[in-house]
Amino acid sequence: MSRTTISLGLLVLLGCCLAGCAANTTSYVRDDVDFSYIRRVAVYPFVNRSQDPQAAPRVYSIFQAELLQHDALRTIDLGETLGGLQALRLDPAAVLAPEQIVALGKQLGVDGIFFGDVDDYGLERASGDRVYSVTFTFSLAETETGSVVWQSTVHDDGTSLWRKLFGGGTASLHDVSRSAIADALETLF
């Protein structure tokens, strides 16, 4: 067996291992929007559709931390966002109409508002193993017109080909969530 054949085989194996770690992400980015004007943003309280009653605040915290790593945006804190919702008498659990997004944007002095839905968050069975699995949908609405300019749905779990080949349990729920959020935000930045 030649060195080239062995090298090619190892390269293919490495590619398979990396592909096994990738999240399943679907995204939409409006191409007629200049994102350079979106500098200051708020993150609206996330909607929880999962079985875990604490999923939304946990995912919100991880999303905020990941968002803060991007120097292009300044993020206001949750207290300021909730204060703006209270001033406008908006329910944090309600879906906002475009005109409400515009009004909230003016109240908070932000150029965009992120929204999030936690659809799946917890343990599930995969190939006989119990793994952590998450599915999130995130969107960004600009506050001039209240229209959605970016949306990403991401599904990830704690399995990977690497773990299957060499053993090991699932990644932690925090790590799976963080990886999924990073993959979703990568479609925006």
Side-chain angles (χ1 to χ4, degrees):
M1 195 177 268
S2 74
R3 259 185 175 194
T4 306
T5 305
I6 292 172
S7 297
L8 184 61
L10 288 174
L11 197 63
V12 168
L13 179 62
L14 179 63
C16 289
C17 289
L18 293 176
C21 298
N24 180 4
T25 307
T26 306
S27 63
Y28 158 80
V29 179
R30 233 174 80 188
D31 56 4
D32 63 338
V33 174
D34 183 0
F35 285 91
S36 67
Y37 289 106
I38 300 177
R39 291 285 174 226
R40 184 172 151 92
V41 296
V43 182
Y44 196 77
F46 286 178
V47 175
N48 186 11
R49 301 182 200 295
S50 76
Q51 298 296 319
D52 184 337
Q54 295 302 312
R58 288 178 184 153
V59 174
Y60 183 97
S61 294
I62 298 168
F63 185 87
Q64 272 284 58
E66 287 296 313
L67 199 58
L68 288 170
Q69 292 183 22
H70 296 279
D71 295 332
L73 298 176
R74 285 190 17 236
T75 307
I76 66 171
D77 69 31
L78 178 59
E80 195 173 341
T81 303
L82 292 175
L85 289 169
Q86 186 176 23
L88 295 174
R89 297 189 175 157
L90 297 172
D91 180 5
V95 176
L96 298 183
E99 55 273 1
Q100 292 172 312
I101 293 171
V102 171
L104 182 59
K106 286 180 183 170
Q107 177 73 28
L108 298 174
V110 296
D111 309 308
I113 301 173
F114 282 96
F115 297 89
D117 289 350
V118 179
D119 299 311
D120 183 26
Y121 183 85
L123 281 172
E124 80 173 24
R125 286 214 178 272
S127 305
D129 296 329
R130 293 176 56 90
V131 297
Y132 289 111
S133 175
V134 298
T135 305
F136 308 135
T137 301
F138 303 112
S139 59
L140 172 64
E142 52 84 16
T143 57
E144 190 174 312
T145 65
S147 60
V148 173
V149 294
W150 168 78
Q151 185 166 341
S152 181
T153 299
V154 61
H155 173 78
D156 201 354
D157 59 39
T159 63
S160 70
L161 184 58
W162 185 261
R163 287 180 192 269
K164 287 179 182 178
L165 288 175
F166 300 106
T170 181
S172 72
L173 189 51
H174 174 82
D175 289 342
V176 173
S177 297
R178 186 169 179 233
S179 172
I181 291 167
D183 287 344
L185 287 174
E186 191 174 287
T187 67
L188 177 61
F189 296 108

